[in-house]
Amino acid sequence: EIVLTQSPGTLSLSPGERATLSCRASQSVNSNYLAWYQQIPGQAPRLLISGASSRATGVPDRFSGSGSESDFTLTISRLEPEDFAVYYCQQYGSSWTFGQGTKLEI
Amino acid sequence: QVQLVESGGGLVKPEGSLRLSCAASGFTFRDHYMSWIRQPPGKGLEWVSFIGGNGRTKYYADSFKGRFTISRDNAKNSLYLQVNSLRAEDTAVYYCARSRGGPYYFDYWGQGTLVTVSS
């Protein structure tokens, strides 16, 4: 099973700042099959990125994904108040697993 | 628009059983793999199971083999999860989710249904 480790566990930033979230896999992720989700407390997760770097429909362009093999990054270029949430990565190259999440707080 | 609405959660005693349902609308249900994902209170997401569009292909995470059974009824646009021998650690919000193009990532999620296992 591929284990995904997200860092940091909690990231404290202010609106307007840049956020960089990391997701590292215990082995290479086939075909860069890596997705990112945003979860606001009390709500279901929302797909942001698939295929490591493809934004889902309706996702603002301040969200970008990058990386390959076992090292992936989600970047939020300029934080808006609604971006403070928990973010999860998920790999779907070999079975399906989620990272433990990064909480982005104000 | 795509809608997924879960139901069937509630308070269940240990060793009890439960059948969760997910009603889908707004898309051609039979064309999509569907999945169940759960989230214990205050914790992260755990993938449980996938089922193919024809209902014949099924995958389970190792932790969920044996007590969990996924199924679907394409005539009713519905997805199901049967859970037996419930334990306290099964307490979680259970989400149904649609996968795009195959058993890959989850592009739409329901709002979830809470299952609480307690005596």
Side-chain angles (χ1 to χ4, degrees), chain A residues 6 14 25 40 44 48-49 55 73 78 81-82 85 89 96 100:
Chain A
Q6 294 186 239
S14 299
I40 294 167
L48 297 175
I49 302 284
R55 265 190 310 277
T73 301
R78 288 176 310 280
E82 61 267 27
C89 58
W96 300 268
Q100 84 281 14

Side-chain angles (χ1 to χ4, degrees), chain B residues 26-111:
Chain B
F27 65 101
T28 305
F29 183 67
R30 65 178 179 272
D31 287 349
H32 289 266
Y33 273 80
M34 297 294 295
S35 192
W36 288 98
I37 297 143
R38 78 178 188 181
Q39 185 170 36
K43 296 190 177 180
L45 302 167
E46 300 177 289
W47 171 71
V48 175
S49 181
F50 248 123
I51 187 168
N54 59 17
R56 290 197 293 269
T57 303
K58 300 178 184 181
Y59 304 99
Y60 296 91
D62 287 345
S63 306
F64 301 104
K65 290 177 182 174
R67 296 188 300 119
F68 291 72
T69 303
I70 194 170
S71 62
R72 65 192 294 161
D73 184 339
N74 287 343
K76 295 182 178 179
N77 287 346
S78 292
L79 175 72
Y80 306 103
L81 184 69
Q82 176 73 35
V83 188
N84 299 326
S85 302
L86 280 155
R87 308 164 181 165
E89 53 266 37
D90 294 320
T91 294
V93 174
Y94 287 74
Y95 294 102
C96 74
R98 190 186 86 162
S99 189
R100 184 184 175 109
Y104 300 139
Y105 55 90
F106 311 105
D107 62 349
Y108 285 95
W109 298 61
Q111 281 305 300

Side-chain angles (χ1 to χ4, degrees), chain A residues 39-56:
Chain A
Q39 187 176 34
I40 294 167
Q43 296 185 19
R46 168 198 178 197
L47 175 69
L48 297 175
I49 302 284
S50 63
S53 61
S54 297
R55 265 190 310 277

